[in-house]
């Protein structure tokens, strides 16, 4: 959809600590083949903070940056993929209590790694429809830790990282204008992360930690690798094509292309070669030091470009995402100024 008068007012990131991949290999935690295939230097991890606590911290930081008070936040959407720190518990309400302290709708989004752009799409529709007067607060957070997740082996092409992000979407101006946003889904690929296992009454009944490779092998053995690759590529291309068309541009016109924080080999096969993207136009040098933040990759990389000064007024940035399920997202933003909170 083409977007009018919706702005990105602020961003923030919470990454408690980093662990070098070389250290993880030396300790036996990360298989050498995973380190070689992904090309990552380090991965963000949280020694103790839960996902919810990191999200609240990122939320407080972005509200301070933007000067948004409780009276300005009309909607809070929190996107996540894994355990947030408590069972049967509304994490969005916790973030609202800890960081905002008002009575607006606070809702959790579970769209896996496409959750950040899914939240952006829903918030844009909410504000555009007149439900909100000022701002929407979007947060993402995950802590991919044992026993449920092995950050190196659960999904070997993508080491998982701990951290949180926050973004304020606004009707009252900001440093970047949202030009367009598109989402697309193909549920025929849903079994790709489920496999052939029967449904269970409780988490981790089949195996612990989670093993996405086992599920993928089951699906591909039944449907075929070419079927999965073709549908996945078509889904991402559909979302990218729609967002670019609505923004009146081609991918080559973008100064920056923000991709999921995947390993190098996966990025090459899914994005660099099929879409003819030069890695120098991406945030690879940043993402390879962080790892995959679940739903937060796009917000984190955007924050990096702004804070580092690499994104300049006039730059158009394309944000690309994909999540199990299967769904894809793409957004186009145009930098219109350098926010004071980004430094000089």
């Amino acid at each position: 959809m083409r977007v009018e008068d919706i702005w990105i007012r602020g961003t923030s990131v919470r990454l408690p600590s980093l662990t070098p991949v070389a250290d993880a290999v030396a300790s036996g935690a990360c298989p050498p083949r995973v380190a070689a295939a992904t090309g990552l230097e380090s991965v963000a991890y949280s020694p103790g903070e839960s996902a919810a606590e990191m999200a609240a911290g990122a939320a407080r930081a972005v509200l301070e940056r933007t000067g948004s008070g409780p009276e300005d936040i009309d909607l809070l959407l929190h996107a996540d993929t894994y355990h947030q720190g408590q069972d049967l518990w509304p994490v969005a309400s916790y973030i609202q209590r800890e960081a905002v302290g008002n009575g607006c709708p606070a809702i959790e989004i579970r769209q896996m790694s496409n959750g950040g752009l899914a939240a952006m799409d829903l918030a844009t529709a909410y504000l555009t429809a007149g439900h909100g007067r000022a701002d929407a607060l979007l947060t993402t957070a995950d802590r991919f830790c044992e026993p449920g997740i092995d950050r190196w082996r659960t999904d070997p092409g993508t080491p998982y990282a701990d951290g949180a992000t926050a973004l304020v979407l606004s009707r009252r101006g900001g440093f970047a204008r949202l030009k367009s946003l598109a989402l697309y889904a193909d549920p025929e690929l849903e079994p790709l992360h489920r496999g052939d296992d029967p449904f269970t009454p409780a988490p981790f009944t089949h195996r612990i930690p989670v093993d996405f490779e086992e599920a993928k092998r089951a699906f591909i053995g039944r449907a075929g690798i070419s079927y999965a690759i073709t549908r996945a590529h078509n889904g991402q291309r559909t979302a990218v094509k729609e967002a670019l068309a609505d923004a009146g541009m081609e991918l080559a016109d973008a100064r920056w292309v923000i991709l999921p924080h995947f390993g190098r080999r996966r990025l090459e096969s899914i994005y660099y070669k099929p879409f003819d993207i030069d890695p120098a136009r991406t945030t690879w040098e940043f993402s390879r030091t962080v790892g995959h933040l679940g739903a937060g990759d796009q917000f984190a990389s955007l924050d990096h470009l702004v804070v580092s000064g690499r994104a300049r007024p006039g730059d158009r940035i394309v944000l690309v995402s994909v999540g199990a399920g299967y769904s894809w997202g793409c957004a186009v933003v145009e930098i219109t100024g350098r926010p004071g909170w980004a430094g000089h």
Side-chain angles (χ1 to χ4, degrees):
M1 65 178 173
R2 184 173 298 160
V3 180
E4 301 289 344
D5 299 323
I6 296 293
W7 303 76
I8 298 175
R9 193 169 180 85
T11 56
S12 71
V13 180
R14 171 67 180 154
L15 303 176
S17 186
L18 296 174
T19 182
V21 172
D23 289 356
V25 172
S27 71
C30 175
R33 62 179 177 81
V34 172
T38 61
L40 267 64
E41 294 180 354
S42 56
V43 171
Y45 85 103
S46 171
E49 274 187 286
S50 69
E53 291 168 310
M54 289 188 286
R60 286 190 292 266
V62 78
L63 294 179
E64 182 177 351
R65 283 179 169 183
T66 61
S68 300
E71 69 280 1
D72 299 312
I73 303 300
D74 297 310
L75 177 69
L76 189 159
L77 297 178
H78 176 66
D80 56 59
T81 69
Y82 185 58
H83 183 65
Q84 297 293 289
Q86 296 286 345
D87 298 321
L88 291 175
W89 173 66
V91 60
S93 296
Y94 169 84
I95 298 166
Q96 182 179 29
R97 178 180 182 273
E98 292 292 316
V100 184
N102 69 2
C104 76
I107 302 167
E108 182 179 5
I109 304 293
R110 269 294 178 98
Q111 200 58 33
M112 304 304 285
S113 299
N114 197 30
L117 291 195
M120 182 179 283
D121 182 84
L122 293 172
T124 296
Y126 187 92
L127 294 175
T128 302
H131 296 300
R133 300 175 302 280
D135 302 341
L137 172 61
L138 313 182
T139 61
T140 75
D142 272 299
R143 186 185 183 210
F144 296 109
C145 58
E146 296 179 343
I149 297 288
D150 181 331
R151 73 174 74 253
W152 309 107
R153 294 177 171 84
T154 285
D155 192 1
T158 303
Y160 284 11
D162 306 340
T165 71
L167 181 147
V168 170
L169 208 60
S170 181
R171 295 182 62 188
R172 57 195 181 105
F175 70 86
R177 184 191 296 271
L178 181 60
K179 303 288 289 183
S180 66
L181 201 156
L183 297 178
Y184 181 75
D186 183 356
E188 291 304 311
L189 292 179
E190 174 272 324
L192 194 56
H193 280 73
R194 174 170 53 85
D196 291 334
D197 292 328
F199 290 99
T200 65
F204 309 115
T205 300
H206 291 305
R207 63 187 64 87
I208 190 169
V210 174
D211 185 357
F212 283 153
E213 286 298 291
E214 177 66 25
K216 290 176 183 177
R217 282 192 293 269
F219 178 76
I220 289 171
R222 186 172 63 254
I225 185 68
S226 60
Y227 175 87
I229 291 175
T230 299
R231 293 195 78 110
H233 177 68
N234 288 343
Q236 188 70 87
R237 185 170 291 279
T238 297
V240 171
K241 182 178 179 180
E242 181 180 335
L244 292 174
D246 288 343
M249 61 181 285
E250 300 292 335
L251 190 59
D253 299 328
R255 175 65 185 87
W256 297 101
V257 182
I258 293 176
L259 300 173
H261 293 185
F262 295 161
R264 179 63 183 251
R265 185 174 296 175
R266 190 167 284 181
L267 286 172
E268 288 177 346
S269 64
I270 299 175
Y271 295 109
Y272 294 164
K273 293 179 180 179
F275 289 92
D276 192 24
I277 298 172
D278 184 345
R281 296 171 58 212
T282 74
T283 56
W284 165 245
E285 291 304 321
F286 166 70
S287 69
R288 71 184 304 204
T289 69
V290 176
H292 181 45
L293 294 168
D297 291 348
Q298 294 71 31
F299 295 173
S301 277
L302 178 61
D303 180 86
H304 169 72
L305 289 176
V306 174
V307 172
S308 67
R310 301 181 74 189
R312 302 176 183 275
D315 286 356
R316 282 175 289 180
I317 303 175
V318 176
L319 289 71
V320 180
S321 66
V322 56
Y326 236 80
S327 69
W328 299 265
C330 184
V332 176
V333 302
E334 181 178 0
I335 304 296
T336 56
R338 183 160 173 76
W341 49 261
H344 300 284

